[in-house]
Amino acid sequence: AFPYSVAQHSTLLSRRVPKELVRAALMHDWSEAFTNDVARPVKVTLPEYREREHQIQVRIFELMNEPIENLEAVHDYDIRICADEMRK
């Protein structure tokens, strides 16, 4: 599989979501600037890490005046694009 940077992943994701979710798609991994980028197969085994990452994401979205519902709306698109990225 080709390794995608967080920036590449977020940009590709922003091209797949509806127009009203583009900003959230670009922001959805900003928490990784504080927590680091952990591979999804590892991340699912770390519930405390995932909770802290979510808390940071919520705060970022608050500070940027982006509805947290948009982060949740981007989630399914993110899962699909991650699967696509793993196949490449």
Side-chain angles (χ1 to χ4, degrees):
F2 176 80
Y4 287 83
S5 71
V6 174
Q8 288 171 309
H9 165 75
S10 296
T11 300
L12 291 171
L13 179 61
S14 74
R15 295 176 182 163
R16 290 199 179 178
V17 299
K19 184 178 176 180
E20 65 272 11
L21 297 177
V22 168
R23 189 167 186 251
L26 291 170
M27 294 170 52
H28 85 285
D29 277 339
W30 283 10
S31 63
E32 292 178 3
F34 302 96
T35 62
N36 207 345
D37 185 14
V38 175
R40 187 174 301 269
V42 175
K43 192 183 288 190
V44 298
T45 68
L46 303 170
E48 294 93 8
Y49 173 90
R50 289 193 334 255
E51 177 57 31
R52 185 65 180 140
E53 182 182 52
H54 181 72
Q55 291 170 353
I56 293 168
Q57 288 174 316
V58 168
R59 185 66 181 131
I60 289 169
F61 272 60
E62 286 173 356
L63 290 169
M64 298 301 294
N65 294 314
E66 183 69 19
I68 196 61
E69 296 80 17
N70 288 353
L71 175 62
E72 295 159 8
V74 164
H75 181 72
D76 288 338
Y77 293 96
D78 188 30
I79 297 296
R80 286 190 295 250
I81 198 169
C82 285
D84 290 347
E85 289 168 354
M86 286 190 268
R87 284 194 293 271
K88 292 183 181 184

